[in-house]
Amino acid sequence: MLSSFHLHCSLLAFIIYGLVFQVHELQSALLNVTGPPGPITVAMGEDVVLPCRFSPEQRAQDTEVIWFREHFSPFVHRYKGGQDQYGEQMLQYQGRTELLKDGLAKGSVDLKIFRVQLSDRGNYTCFIHRDLDYDEAVVELKVTASGSAPLITLERYQDGGIWVTCRSAGWYPQPQVLWQDPHGRHLPSLSENVTQDKSGLFAAESSIILTRGTNQKLSCSVRHVLHSQEQGSAFYISDPFFQNAHPWMTAVCVVLVAVVVLLIIAAYLFKIKGKHEQKIAMQAAALQDRDAEIERQAEELAWRKYAVPIEEVKVVLDPDTAHCDLVLSDDCKSVKREDTLQDLPDIPERFNPWRCVLGREGFTSGRYYWEVEVVDGGGWTVGVSRQDVKRKGDIEFKPEQGIWALGQWAGHFQALTSPNRTLLPEIQTPKRIRVSLDYEEGRVTFFSVDEEIPIFTFPLASFEGISVHPWVWLGPGTWLKMCP
């Protein structure tokens, strides 16, 4: 009785397994993908549609479509979840593919490829996945290229005839070159050559010898071996060309022509020699004028390089830093040295004994410029100073002490460099000086507003994040004005 029970259980399990297997087979058979019966052929540079159909139809959101070449990834085109997916698309197809979605509801997943290239030829797999089922079909794409019209050239005289070559390029697949007489009969060629460039396109040439009276009128045609595209050219050579078929006659004619040409050239050169020498003299003078103009433009560009500011500063002098001999105007934009001590408190900010004064505003970044006018007086210096410059006792006006300046000092116009001063004898002492400061670059530059020329640029310095202020020193009887 127990054996009978086991037999019934085994039979029931076999029936259930068979039903499940049949259901799975039935489901697998539900999706069917088909391609075209034969290859799709397109000319290079045109657009092409690769057809692919599936059945039964279903909602587009439930269907995943992948077109690929030899490998599943990267793909040619992918459609999933109702949208095109471009994340892993092959580089050569980016921006050149489109899935024609209008046919999805009717079971069509045709792929359009724009501007077909020769490298696009080959097999494409149309892969469709839906739920747990999938199917695929292969579509072959053939690409053709119809080349240029044949170019026929007369190469040389040979064997009592004329060697003629027919050439054409830009073909795919490999073309065939054919010679025909006026009656349409094919003529054998003496030499043939077919080459292929890096892009895969073929070039072909074929040569034949023409003789008088036999085949003076011919045509050359180039066509695909497996396709119907064809390009042709025809030509005719008249009898006089064959009279020169002997090389020695051609050589004698060439020599005679060359002698005549040389005589004509010699006479012409002798005639224009004088004119040529005169022209050279005029060109030399023009070059000198051009060089002078270039030099003038270079000077103007140098001026503009320094003259074009980033930000203009209206300097207001700080009375708390001015020496007691210096008298500031009411608006603090001009200063005179009168050598009459004023009753002012000797605060730490005030210079003493040097007759100096700082601008009220300091800079810790950016690029700025301001101008100083020498209204009256003899000795003076203008420039910039770090905020922490020494105010009391003996001070040396040099970059190591935090001062970058130039001016009329000790009877000479000079830059206050270190360890030695830099005399500027070639510069006429200006009445109006522009001071330019580039804080980040550490550049301090001066130029003459009077002559619109640069004067001097100090070596690059580091201001170490410390505020930098406009700075002036005045000699006896000097009057300086901040502009504007």
Side-chain angles (χ1 to χ4, degrees):
M1 187 173 183
L2 184 61
S3 299
S4 176
F5 175 76
H6 282 295
L7 179 62
H8 285 293
C9 288
S10 299
L11 181 61
L12 181 61
F14 179 77
I15 293 173
I16 293 174
Y17 175 80
L19 290 175
V20 171
F21 181 78
Q22 289 180 358
V23 169
H24 176 73
E25 289 295 319
L26 182 60
Q27 290 178 344
S28 299
L30 291 177
L31 183 61
N32 182 37
V33 179
T34 58
I40 303 297
T41 302
V42 64
M44 188 176 67
E46 297 183 357
D47 302 340
V48 67
V49 175
L50 303 183
C52 180
R53 298 191 57 82
F54 68 93
S55 61
E57 300 80 2
Q58 193 169 332
R59 292 190 311 163
Q61 289 79 1
D62 300 331
T63 304
E64 178 182 10
V65 181
I66 300 178
W67 283 88
F68 64 92
R69 299 288 300 269
E70 291 84 359
H71 304 286
F72 196 79
S73 177
F75 50 79
V76 176
H77 195 96
R78 183 181 185 186
Y79 175 85
K80 183 179 180 180
Q83 295 182 355
D84 294 308
Q85 309 288 332
Y86 298 102
E88 299 179 14
Q89 189 179 31
M90 295 176 67
L91 182 62
Q92 74 178 86
Y93 292 98
Q94 290 182 4
R96 296 179 50 234
T97 62
E98 178 188 0
L99 189 71
L100 304 182
K101 305 178 187 62
D102 294 342
L104 277 172
K106 301 178 182 180
S108 174
V109 287
D110 297 347
L111 178 68
K112 187 173 185 178
I113 302 177
F114 300 93
R115 305 177 302 280
V116 171
Q117 306 169 3
L118 196 59
S119 58
D120 295 337
R121 67 187 188 279
N123 292 332
Y124 291 75
T125 299
C126 174
F127 178 89
I128 299 181
H129 176 230
R130 189 171 60 197
D131 298 330
L132 299 177
D133 200 5
Y134 66 89
D135 196 11
E136 62 184 32
V138 176
V139 181
E140 182 182 1
L141 175 62
K142 291 186 176 182
V143 180
T144 64
S146 182
S148 60
L151 175 64
I152 300 175
T153 57
L154 308 182
E155 300 285 348
R156 59 185 181 272
Y157 291 109
Q158 182 170 328
D159 300 334
I162 301 175
W163 183 282
V164 182
T165 301
C166 176
R167 297 183 178 90
S168 182
W171 293 84
Y172 193 88
Q174 179 176 332
Q176 183 181 20
V177 183
L178 298 175
W179 293 96
Q180 290 181 314
D181 63 13
H183 305 289
R185 293 182 297 231
H186 293 289
L187 301 175
S189 61
L190 296 178
S191 67
E192 294 183 355
N193 184 32
V194 178
T195 59
Q196 191 173 19
D197 60 21
K198 294 181 180 179
S199 64
L201 295 176
F202 289 95
E205 68 175 42
S206 177
S207 300
I208 194 172
I209 294 180
L210 302 184
T211 58
R212 180 189 300 180
T214 56
N215 47 13
Q216 295 176 231
K217 185 177 180 181
L218 292 178
S219 63
C220 174
S221 60
V222 185
R223 64 186 180 188
H224 288 136
V225 177
L226 302 177
H227 302 277
S228 59
Q229 289 95 335
E230 180 175 322
Q231 296 272 22
S233 296
F235 68 103
Y236 176 81
I237 299 180
S238 60
D239 287 340
F241 284 94
F242 293 97
Q243 296 176 4
N244 299 322
H246 300 286
W248 67 268
M249 294 180 62
T250 303
V252 170
C253 292
V254 170
V255 171
L256 291 176
V257 172
V259 170
V260 173
V261 171
L262 288 175
L263 291 175
I264 295 174
I265 292 175
Y268 177 75
L269 291 177
F270 181 78
K271 181 178 180 181
I272 68 171
K273 179 180 179 181
K275 294 183 179 179
H276 183 65
E277 292 176 351
Q278 182 180 2
K279 184 178 180 181
I280 290 177
M282 295 176 61
Q283 289 178 343
L287 287 175
Q288 291 179 353
D289 294 341
R290 188 192 66 179
D291 292 341
E293 177 65 16
I294 290 175
E295 184 177 355
R296 186 192 66 78
Q297 292 178 357
E299 293 177 354
E300 182 178 351
L301 288 175
W303 155 257
R304 295 193 180 194
K305 174 182 178 183
Y306 292 100
V308 176
I310 298 301
E311 183 176 345
E312 181 183 7
V313 177
K314 297 181 180 180
V315 175
V316 177
L317 299 175
D318 186 0
D320 291 337
T321 65
H323 185 274
C324 296
D325 285 348
L326 302 182
V327 179
L328 274 63
S329 61
D330 292 338
D331 60 0
C332 294
K333 290 188 177 181
S334 66
V335 57
K336 293 182 181 180
R337 176 174 171 175
E338 297 187 352
D339 289 339
T340 300
L341 288 176
Q342 304 176 79
D343 186 14
L344 298 173
D346 190 15
I347 58 179
E349 294 82 4
R350 194 179 308 282
F351 286 92
N352 189 21
W354 289 95
R355 278 71 172 177
C356 305
V357 62
L358 295 179
R360 182 177 296 169
E361 181 182 5
F363 313 101
T364 56
S365 64
R367 295 181 63 190
Y368 308 92
Y369 88 97
W370 59 93
E371 295 180 0
V372 182
E373 181 180 358
V374 181
V375 181
D376 192 15
W380 53 268
T381 60
V382 299
V384 300
S385 166
R386 297 202 327 181
Q387 186 180 27
D388 60 351
V389 69
K390 186 178 179 181
R391 312 290 176 92
K392 309 296 183 182
D394 191 22
I395 306 173
E396 292 188 60
F397 298 168
K398 60 183 181 180
E400 288 82 353
Q401 297 296 321
I403 296 174
W404 293 261
L406 60 71
Q408 191 69 20
W409 176 272
H412 299 284
F413 185 53
Q414 55 185 295
L416 306 184
T417 54
S418 177
N420 300 315
R421 306 288 192 233
T422 302
L423 297 179
L424 304 169
E426 70 279 4
I427 305 295
Q428 183 177 358
T429 304
K431 289 295 184 180
R432 189 160 179 164
I433 307 96
R434 177 173 293 181
V435 184
S436 177
L437 169 67
D438 188 333
Y439 190 95
E440 280 82 6
E441 193 173 0
R443 185 187 301 277
V444 180
T445 302
F446 301 84
F447 57 88
S448 169
V449 179
D450 302 342
E451 300 185 39
E452 296 185 347
I453 59 172
I455 301 175
F456 186 80
T457 300
F458 276 84
L460 298 183
S462 174
F463 301 126
E464 302 176 350
I466 299 173
S467 178
V468 174
H469 294 252
W471 174 92
V472 297
W473 168 85
L474 287 81
T478 302
W479 178 12
L480 298 180
K481 182 181 179 181
M482 303 294 117
C483 303

